[in-house]
Amino acid sequence: MFSKVLIANRGEIAVRVIRACRELGITSVAVYSDLDRNALHTRLADEAYALPGQSAAETYLNTESILKILEECEADAVHPGYGFFSENADFAREIEKKGIKFIGPPPESIEVMGDKISARQAAENVGVLGVPGTTELITSPEQVHSFAETYGYPVAIKAAYGGGGRGMKVVSAPEEVESAIDSAQRESLAYFGRDELYMERYLTAPRHIEIQILADEHGNVIYLGDRDCSAQRRHQKLIEEAPAPDIPESIKQAMGEAAVKVAKGCGYTNAGTVEFLYEDGEFYYLEMNTRLQVEHPVTELVTGIDLVEQQLKIADGSPLDISQEDLEIRGHAIEIRINAENPAGGSFLPSPGKITELSPPDGFGVRFDSGYESGDEISQFYDNLIAKLVVWGKDRVTAINRSLRALSELEVSGVATTIPADIAILEHEDFQSCSHSTKWVEDSLDLSGISSEKESSKQEDSQSTLKKETTVEVNGKRFDVTMWVPDNSGVERNVKRRSQGKKAASGSGTNEVRVPMQGTIIKVLVEVGDSVEIGDPICVLEAMKMENNILAEKAGKIMEIRVSSGDSVGNGDVVAVIE
Ligand code: MV4
């Protein structure tokens, strides 16, 4: 086995590989940019070397810097993680020229799959078919017109060197073709430096199913079941699961066998993923990803196989120690991506900044792969994936409920996150009944009611607490209540609410007095202009057959009252504003 592995990556995937190395007794070497000098992966690795600079191009995408470190540290292999150099044939060649093992497929396989036309051809050569389409370059609009006469509209015009949906245009009528070709070419040239195009019939509501494969360097290839990654927006996946639910076993087996054929056909080795679209009982080959994927843990949880350990063993020349017949899929796994993005209104705006508090969930069936800890900074320069919550359950319903339970324990403060969108998906009846597709989050999921403010941590804004005594009435019975409330008069305080799905209005609370649950206002106890102290009752909310006093969370003057007696209010609604 290798004695030292350099991990040419950062964040949670670098951490994932470092952990696997440690378990196998391999010395791990991290590389880190200026911004990552104290990052989790830098701290966890046995050795760490600086990549001077900030941007990805200056650091994690700087071949020269990485090659220099390789000479210095004397690693015998490089794990590229995902993104960055993971699917770069030139980088793999540079590494291997130095006699260092690239933990991934041969450069030739990366090249075949990197060009989507040759990838389509490679699959066709072994009898695996994509969506009806062409492997010839589009040179004129007439080609698209005549293709559409046979197969009908819509037609997808795709960039041969595209990725992540870039350079793909969908046309629904002949008059749209010319300008779609132009814009697909422009986009592809801008992003990938090449502008070759091809086309396929466009499927309007497919599911995205992918097959994990492992191939050793002795000709053995197996598939490790399937994953469904249909819950995505703008080609960024939000939630993935294994096995893909509600697909006939015969189809899954056929997809698995097709994936193995494709891998064998291109001389593939190491871990890889073959992507398919599934619609109306048919599946179609889409492309092959020649790297370890973000969502690999869901496959690990249902197969019990450590994919990074397998990658290291395969790269070291070992034959596969698992056979297709021995492989068993057990239970159901769900991965929830926690990105530093604000999903409010479906916008998913990046929310870089300092994570003031990160408190991971725990318990049976819960795994938390994080690239960060409390106090770490999410930089605008890199991918904003904070962590992946990966949950196992005996079946899909258990896994969904466990995911929601774990999300209710998870606390992230300081940056906005995708958590409210993740909850909205998991709680949605379409997701639960598997009637979603790759278009569903963007076209059908209503994210207008959700918000994810940059919450600040409790420790930071509650320097001290005040003991307050008051009385409340519950069901007509009087109780004395003692409260310890934050003594932060004048300091902005954020109210944190967890696990409230669509209504996760984790408000920038501060001046706003909000109700914690749905109900009816039965009495308003203050008037505009009144001065209130922390803990003073503002109004009485009747909810779940009980009367609840809604209290002021800061001292000040009542500036606004937004409700009156008899009003119905929802979870998180503002009843008054204090200044
Ligand atoms: C398609 C398609 C429908 N029909 N091709 C998007 C990214 C690129 N890698 C391939 N993509 C698609 N190709 C045909 N012929 C729909 C998509 C697609 C998609 C695919 C997988 C996961 C999410 C997606 C979201 C939108 C569109």
Side-chain angles (χ1 to χ4, degrees):
M1 183 44 90
F2 307 119
S3 58
K4 193 186 266 192
V5 171
L6 180 141
I7 298 109
N9 216 303
R10 64 179 304 284
E12 69 84 21
I13 195 63
V15 170
R16 168 74 187 88
V17 178
I18 290 165
R19 285 178 171 152
C21 287
R22 180 142 310 148
E23 290 170 16
L24 292 166
I26 299 169
T27 303
S28 57
V29 180
V31 290
Y32 62 94
S33 66
D34 294 351
L35 296 165
D36 282 340
R37 65 184 172 278
N38 202 30
L40 185 57
H41 79 280
T42 311
R43 284 179 271 150
L44 275 184
D46 294 315
E47 297 175 17
Y49 290 80
L51 290 168
Q54 295 200 325
S55 70
E58 289 173 310
T59 59
Y60 301 99
L61 283 172
N62 187 332
T63 311
E64 230 170 87
S65 295
I66 293 172
L67 288 175
K68 217 172 101 205
I69 293 168
L70 272 171
E71 264 170 30
E72 221 175 304
C73 74
E74 298 184 316
D76 37 23
V78 173
H79 196 300
Y82 51 69
F84 296 131
F85 278 137
S86 59
E87 295 179 279
N88 186 312
D90 294 337
F91 178 78
R93 282 203 182 92
E94 291 282 346
I95 298 296
E96 305 232 306
K97 256 203 319 220
K98 289 198 167 297
I100 296 167
K101 186 74 181 180
F102 177 79
I103 302 169
E108 297 73 34
S109 304
I110 300 178
E111 255 159 10
V112 169
M113 293 305 171
D115 169 355
K116 310 299 172 200
I117 297 179
S118 68
R120 215 186 125 94
Q121 190 65 59
E124 227 169 81
N125 292 347
V126 293
V128 175
L129 300 184
V131 189
T134 62
T135 45
E136 284 116 58
L137 296 182
I138 299 177
T139 50
S140 78
E142 284 70 45
Q143 283 170 282
V144 182
H145 297 156
S146 74
F147 177 82
E149 268 164 39
T150 313
Y151 294 100
Y153 285 101
V155 174
I157 296 172
K158 296 184 167 190
Y161 292 89
R166 293 219 169 91
M168 177 171 122
K169 299 287 156 206
V170 179
V171 289
S172 304
E175 57 272 20
E176 296 169 11
V177 171
E178 202 167 337
S179 77
I181 290 176
D182 285 350
S183 74
Q185 259 169 352
R186 248 181 291 118
E187 215 172 284
S188 175
L189 198 59
Y191 281 104
F192 311 103
R194 308 272 303 249
D195 67 359
E196 292 89 337
L197 304 177
Y198 68 111
M199 66 186 137
E200 287 174 356
R201 184 164 69 81
Y202 181 71
L203 306 181
T204 51
R207 278 174 58 196
H208 178 198
I209 311 294
E210 53 186 38
I211 304 285
Q212 175 72 54
I213 65 112
L214 282 177
D216 68 16
E217 297 179 351
H218 309 276
N220 306 303
V221 185
I222 59 169
Y223 67 94
L224 289 85
D226 38 69
R227 299 188 285 253
D228 184 316
C229 311
S230 302
Q232 59 85 42
R233 38 80 208 180
R234 280 186 267 118
H235 306 284
Q236 293 295 310
K237 294 164 187 164
L238 289 161
I239 290 180
E240 303 99 339
E241 55 185 314
D246 202 29
I247 293 184
E249 254 341 287
S250 58
I251 298 270
K252 287 168 176 255
Q253 193 181 333
M255 269 193 280
E257 285 164 7
V260 167
K261 273 201 269 185
V262 170
K264 281 186 171 161
C266 72
Y268 201 89
T269 64
N270 218 282
T273 299
V274 182
E275 294 189 354
F276 295 92
L277 295 177
Y278 174 75
E279 193 177 79
D280 299 329
E282 304 275 350
F283 69 88
Y284 308 90
Y285 166 82
L286 192 56
E287 49 198 66
M288 181 168 190
N289 300 318
T290 58
R291 60 170 190 276
L292 182 71
Q293 290 197 252
V294 177
E295 59 271 28
H296 76 275
V298 291
T299 296
E300 296 185 319
L301 293 191
V302 297
T303 59
I305 292 165
D306 179 335
L307 288 172
V308 179
E309 177 191 3
Q310 290 296 324
Q311 285 195 291
L312 289 159
K313 285 184 174 168
I314 288 168
D316 190 43
S318 301
L320 280 177
D321 52 11
I322 319 144
S323 70
Q324 193 69 60
E325 300 73 57
D326 292 345
L327 195 106
E328 255 182 87
I329 304 295
R330 223 173 137 242
H332 199 90
I334 298 178
E335 173 177 283
I336 295 125
R337 296 196 191 192
I338 318 292
N339 285 83
E341 286 172 22
N342 192 340
S347 64
F348 293 96
L349 292 176
S351 178
K354 189 187 173 114
I355 305 171
T356 51
E357 191 196 345
L358 177 59
S359 181
D362 207 333
F364 182 34
V366 175
R367 164 175 170 182
F368 196 69
D369 277 24
S370 180
Y372 300 87
E373 289 178 338
S374 293
D376 290 344
E377 186 101 12
I378 306 283
S379 161
Q380 54 165 347
F381 286 103
Y382 314 120
D383 186 284
N384 59 30
L385 181 69
I386 302 170
K388 307 180 307 204
L389 169 62
V390 201
V391 163
W392 181 89
K394 64 184 182 297
D395 52 31
R396 189 167 187 262
V397 170
T398 308
I400 289 174
N401 290 335
R402 183 166 290 155
S403 297
L404 288 164
R405 184 274 291 170
L407 283 168
S408 77
E409 289 176 20
L410 171 61
E411 291 184 39
V412 186
S413 306
V415 295
T417 72
T418 45
I419 294 170
D422 292 324
I423 292 171
I425 293 169
L426 290 164
E427 282 183 338
H428 203 287
E429 129 87 19
D430 291 353
F431 180 81
Q432 294 182 358
S433 65
C434 307
S435 47
H436 63 301
S437 74
T438 53
K439 293 262 140 215
W440 178 77
V441 171
E442 279 160 38
D443 294 354
S444 307
L445 185 65
D446 180 10
L447 293 172
S448 60
I450 67 161
S451 75
S452 175
E453 308 278 327
K454 293 189 176 196
E455 299 170 352
S456 57
S457 78
K458 282 179 221 148
Q459 287 104 315
E460 282 213 332
D461 52 27
S462 53
Q463 306 90 343
S464 61
T465 50
L466 272 182
K467 188 174 176 180
K468 273 255 161 194
E469 274 154 41
T470 189
T471 53
V472 293
E473 247 181 48
V474 178
N475 263 350
K477 187 167 178 194
R478 195 181 148 94
F479 290 92
D480 292 325
V481 177
T482 307
M483 298 180 291
W484 285 267
V485 294
D487 178 20
N488 53 4
S489 13
V491 177
E492 266 205 323
R493 184 176 131 71
N494 289 342
V495 182
K496 184 187 292 274
R497 293 195 186 78
R498 289 186 267 152
S499 174
Q500 292 167 346
K502 286 186 188 150
K503 287 278 185 170
S506 19
S508 45
T510 69
N511 310 331
E512 290 166 340
V513 182
R514 293 168 185 268
V515 295
M517 59 191 127
Q518 188 214 328
T520 307
I521 301 294
I522 55 171
K523 204 182 239 170
V524 178
L525 302 165
V526 293
E527 285 177 15
V528 171
D530 284 358
S531 288
V532 291
E533 291 297 317
I534 293 173
D536 281 355
I538 302 297
C539 61
V540 182
L541 173 77
E542 188 195 55
M544 302 193 305
K545 297 190 182 152
M546 288 204 296
E547 290 183 16
N548 308 270
N549 280 335
I550 306 302
L551 310 177
E553 290 181 347
K554 67 174 276 185
K557 204 178 201 176
I558 300 290
M559 302 304 288
E560 228 185 293
I561 295 172
R562 299 211 186 145
V563 291
S564 46
S565 178
D567 285 357
S568 293
V569 289
N571 178 358
D573 283 357
V574 176
V575 292
V577 180
I578 302 172
E579 202 50 271

